[in-house]
Amino acid sequence: MTNRPIAVVGASAAGITAAEALRRAGWDGPLTLIGDEPHLPYDRPPLSKQLLHGAWEPAKLLLRTEEQLAPLGLDLRLGTRATALDVATRTLTLDGGERLACAGVIIATGVAARTLPAAEGFAGVFTLRTLDDALALRDRLSGGARRLVVVGNGVLGCEAAAVAHELGHDVALIGREPVPMAAAVGAGIGELLAEEHRARGVRLVTGEVAAFETTADATEATDATDDTDATDGAGAQVTGVRLADGTLLPADLVLLAIGSEPAVGWLADPALDTTDGLGCDAYCAAAPGIYAAGDVARWEHPVHGHPLRFEHRMNATEQAMAAARNLVAELTAEASTEAAVEGTEPPERRPFAPVPYFWSDQYGLKLQAYGLTSGADEVETTVLDRDARRAVALYGRAGRAVGVLACALPPRQIRALRAVVATPVPWEEARDRVREATAAG
């Protein structure tokens, strides 16, 4: 094989999993792992839950210690950003100007948190994507009761609102739609979550953010260098969120949880499709020798028959393993062809066809979903116990069941529900199987 390295760009869950899978698949050449954060690979889901709550410290989020990484023989480039990729030559450009010619590349750069331009530069306004983001917000939440306004009532916003309320803060949760997480789980489950948030004391607000009130609005002469909040290194401190209808929500802190953008801005080569992530085929290949995994990857799911991009932890791990195996299979085939090796069959690439899975923890509730829950044209929600928030929802497209979600159900029932949508089945058949799975207990 070539002396050129395989480079994995992105050092979170998908990146480290890809690096380990490359070694298991037989790649014994140079292996470079590039991450734009200075931290060793860490797990992101606990950022909005256990870490923000204070139950965990950063060390518990580490996916691998330095000692565990050592056997991989990595050229580990932390605090380094890839700025360009030449697809034809498989050459990366790094932020220091270095050009790295590669045998293959796996792109696992994930997503970046969306922000609102109107909030730029204000102290007390946060996003929640990285470890540093979470620690900064946790620090502010640890200083006594605060008024927190969470902008965005999707999964991240709901989880953070739940944690902040449990910590004793006054929380308002703003969404464009009246039902939390409706786009992800449908109106039925979303309304059940809304009931739980209201019962806990979280204020649910429907509206569009128009502006942010700050200390600069209260005093005509605010020095741009004023360190009103030295922790955030900004001048004007946020004091409220004003909605398009004129409503003002007082705030000491604001969390922007308004979604994310795939981190593909550095991929300008026209050979790549960067519409809603990095477009890939069923093998997770974006181009010859170029693969993608995790939140950034949009691939052709061979079972569902259309492109998917799935921003959830389990997919990051599973897709990284698939991309690594398929890249090694491609490079092995290339090497066999170049060497004119006869009598040996290189490993075959395999399509990536998972049953998508995601979960969310809010208060004492655990939501677990299999298959596709967004974009359904038919949703049937069955509330089994309203007080306990126990429920199941079935999601369908074009007469077939494609997803199922369980809220506060025991593991035995959840395993049975997964089997219902492992492959799309007719809607009526799936309804019967869901009823059977939830009939007992």
Side-chain angles (χ1 to χ4, degrees):
M1 285 192 177
T2 177
N3 289 325
R4 291 184 171 191
I6 290 178
V8 180
V9 185
S12 194
I16 186 57
T17 300
E20 292 177 332
L22 287 165
R23 290 303 193 207
R24 288 196 300 271
W27 178 258
D28 58 4
L31 180 55
T32 300
L33 180 61
I34 300 165
D36 61 357
E37 295 184 61
H39 311 291
L40 289 172
Y42 63 87
D43 213 9
R44 292 190 191 275
L47 294 179
S48 60
K49 296 182 276 288
Q50 294 94 334
L51 186 91
L52 188 62
H53 200 289
W56 290 9
E57 290 303 316
K60 194 164 183 178
L61 273 64
L62 285 181
L63 294 169
R64 301 292 182 271
T65 63
E66 290 184 359
E67 292 74 19
Q68 291 169 328
L69 290 174
L72 295 176
L74 294 175
D75 174 16
L76 185 59
R77 311 281 192 98
L78 297 178
T80 301
R81 188 181 299 274
T83 59
L85 171 63
D86 184 289
V87 171
T89 63
R90 303 177 193 174
T91 299
L92 287 166
T93 301
L94 306 183
D95 54 5
E98 178 184 357
R99 289 173 59 82
L100 187 63
C102 303
V105 177
I106 295 178
I107 296 169
T109 46
V111 296
R114 287 195 183 106
T115 62
L116 292 174
E120 289 292 327
F122 294 151
V125 178
F126 298 84
T127 56
L128 185 49
R129 173 63 189 171
T130 69
L131 175 60
D132 291 340
D133 291 340
L135 289 174
L137 179 57
R138 185 175 81 169
D139 180 64
R140 292 297 303 276
L141 291 174
S142 66
R146 304 274 189 170
R147 296 168 301 177
L148 172 68
V149 173
V150 180
V151 182
N153 62 359
V155 178
L156 176 62
C158 287
E159 290 181 347
V163 168
H165 176 74
E166 288 177 338
L167 292 173
H169 301 288
D170 178 40
V171 182
L173 180 62
I174 304 173
R176 289 180 174 178
E177 301 298 327
V179 179
M181 289 178 54
V185 301
I189 295 295
E191 185 52 48
L192 205 65
L193 292 173
E195 291 177 10
E196 184 67 14
H197 280 282
R198 291 192 192 100
R200 299 277 182 162
V202 172
R203 180 182 177 189
L204 302 185
V205 181
T206 304
E208 187 90 21
V209 173
F212 294 86
E213 301 286 321
T214 70
T215 51
D217 300 313
T219 55
E220 292 184 2
T222 299
D223 191 332
T225 62
D226 175 43
D227 61 346
T228 303
D229 191 321
T231 302
D232 296 291
Q237 165 70 38
V238 69
T239 59
V241 178
R242 189 169 295 281
L243 304 183
D245 65 3
T247 300
L248 177 63
L249 300 175
D252 302 306
L253 304 172
V254 174
L255 172 62
L256 301 180
I258 53 176
S260 57
E261 297 283 353
V264 294
W266 62 286
L267 296 170
D269 193 310
L272 299 175
D273 174 11
T274 56
T275 305
D276 185 30
L278 181 56
C280 300
D281 62 17
Y283 303 96
C284 307
I290 311 294
Y291 287 71
D295 296 359
V296 74
R298 175 176 49 83
W299 88 103
E300 295 285 344
H301 196 292
V303 174
H304 291 286
H306 58 84
L308 294 180
R309 191 173 67 81
F310 211 62
E311 294 184 25
H312 294 288
R313 177 65 172 82
M314 184 67 73
N315 185 70
T317 299
E318 293 179 342
Q319 193 167 30
M321 292 189 288
R325 287 193 302 265
N326 286 338
L327 174 56
V328 171
E330 180 182 328
L331 296 180
T332 302
E334 286 180 357
S336 298
T337 300
E338 291 173 1
V341 177
E342 296 183 1
T344 59
E345 290 294 328
E348 290 187 359
R349 298 190 306 162
R350 297 198 299 270
F352 178 55
V355 179
Y357 169 76
F358 83 88
W359 79 94
S360 176
D361 296 316
Q362 297 172 42
Y363 308 108
L365 298 178
K366 191 174 194 71
L367 282 73
Q368 298 183 76
Y370 292 98
L372 307 181
T373 59
S374 61
D377 56 37
E378 189 167 8
V379 181
E380 182 173 282
T381 302
T382 304
V383 177
L384 304 169
D385 184 333
R386 189 156 220 101
D387 291 339
R389 315 296 187 209
R390 292 178 58 243
V392 62
L394 186 65
Y395 305 82
R397 289 184 180 180
R400 302 181 75 80
V402 296
V404 65
L405 181 147
C407 182
L409 295 190
R412 173 180 54 80
Q413 291 181 332
I414 292 169
R415 287 192 296 271
L417 291 173
R418 182 191 185 280
V420 174
V421 294
T423 56
V425 297
W427 179 256
E428 292 301 327
E429 177 185 338
R431 291 180 69 199
D432 291 340
R433 292 174 63 182
V434 167
R435 281 194 288 267
E436 290 174 7
T438 57

